[in-house]
Amino acid sequence: EPEVTQTPSHQVTQMGQEVILRCVPISNHLYFYWYRQILGQKVEFLVSFYNNEISEKSEIFDDQFSVERPDGSNFTLKIRSTKLEDSAMYFCASSEGGTAKNIQYFGAGTRLSVL
Amino acid sequence: AQTVTQSQPEMSVQEAETVTLSCTYDTSENNYYLFWYKQPPSRQMILVIRQEAYKQQNATENRFSVNFQKAAKSFSLKISDSQLGDTAMYFCAFTTNFGNEKLTFGTGTRLTIIP
């Protein structure tokens, strides 16, 4: 069964460093998302991406964040200068569009630890 | 803005029993989708069940069913014949039928199935 793949599973970084979280969405999907879950809290929307541009972003998604689809398969989230409060689980999701567009399939997440 | 409320932070039930998880939401939209996602200790987000607001019939998926009360803005999940593998966090989520289709999540219910 096709699945969303995220790498790495765990990323440890020093405060102020740049990190890139990688995602390979399901191959025929057209809509891509990043969500964040701080430990013990609910899952929060960060950004959605369609047709090579951002569709919507939340207030969390400030200038230190960026997303990119550098090729036909990868979807990345870059955090330019990490802060302690960026420590969280980051989930990538994708959906197909059309009548199935509202079903988002999630990856296993990347746990980001900022020291 | 849409909100999703899960008023039961934790629940536990004996194996093979039935358990119902509650979710309420608030929206001014008439057309939307509701979901239950399961997050086991591995922290992957797994879609359990989906309900379209324009459908009066409650969705079912094997042992999982929902009680969708549109007027009351209530969307509860019933798990029948509960199994040890059902132990997880359960998140209720909402999305509108427009554009970016971002998901808005509740705070989750931690369900423990007791052997």
Side-chain angles (χ1 to χ4, degrees), chain B residues 50-110:
Chain B
R50 167 195 185 211
Q51 174 77 44
E52 294 146 332
Y54 63 86
K55 288 187 177 180
Q56 291 189 335
Q57 186 174 8
N58 289 323
T60 62
E61 286 287 341
N62 301 313
R63 297 183 295 108
F64 298 88
S65 62
V66 299
N67 183 5
F68 173 50
Q69 302 288 328
K70 190 172 183 179
K73 295 181 180 175
S74 170
F75 181 61
S76 60
L77 174 70
K78 185 171 84 170
I79 306 174
S80 303
D81 185 28
S82 56
Q83 301 174 359
L84 296 179
D86 296 333
T87 292
M89 280 289 285
Y90 286 81
F91 291 96
C92 179
F94 169 101
T95 188
T96 63
N97 195 29
F98 301 108
N100 59 78
E101 322 288 359
K102 70 177 181 183
L103 289 168
T104 300
F105 286 86
T107 51
T109 296
R110 183 177 302 280

Side-chain angles (χ1 to χ4, degrees), chain A:
Chain A
E1 185 175 320
E3 60 180 22
V4 176
T5 305
Q6 289 187 244
T7 55
S9 57
H10 190 194
Q11 174 85 50
V12 181
T13 190
Q14 295 289 325
M15 189 170 58
Q17 295 296 305
E18 175 182 287
V19 294
I20 297 176
L21 309 183
R22 302 181 191 278
C23 171
V24 178
I26 294 172
S27 61
N28 64 330
H29 284 189
L30 301 175
Y31 298 79
F32 313 112
Y33 312 84
W34 283 101
Y35 292 86
R36 180 181 83 175
Q37 184 184 30
I38 295 172
L39 186 63
Q41 298 186 22
K42 67 178 178 180
V43 178
E44 301 172 291
F45 168 76
L46 289 177
V47 65
S48 57
F49 193 86
Y50 170 70
N51 201 27
N52 285 318
E53 61 183 28
I54 291 174
S55 307
E56 183 177 354
K57 57 184 181 180
S58 71
E59 60 275 9
I60 303 169
F61 194 88
D62 61 21
D63 290 345
Q64 69 164 338
F65 290 94
S66 62
V67 289
E68 194 177 37
R69 188 156 162 80
D71 53 43
S73 60
N74 290 286
F75 179 52
T76 61
L77 174 69
K78 181 191 290 186
I79 308 175
R80 240 177 297 281
S81 177
T82 50
K83 306 171 188 169
L84 295 177
E85 55 265 36
D86 294 328
S87 293
M89 196 78 166
Y90 288 82
F91 291 101
C92 174
S94 68
S95 65
E96 186 176 341
T99 55
K101 70 191 304 182
N102 279 302
I103 299 178
Q104 294 183 26
Y105 294 90
F106 283 74
T110 292
R111 183 187 304 275
L112 177 64
S113 299
V114 182
L115 306 178

Side-chain angles (χ1 to χ4, degrees), chain B residues 11-21 63-65 77-83 86 111 113:
Chain B
M11 294 186 73
S12 60
V13 66
Q14 293 285 336
E15 190 178 3
E17 291 186 350
T18 295
V19 61
T20 299
L21 309 183
R63 297 183 295 108
F64 298 88
S65 62
L77 174 70
K78 185 171 84 170
I79 306 174
S80 303
D81 185 28
S82 56
Q83 301 174 359
D86 296 333
L111 175 65
I113 308 300

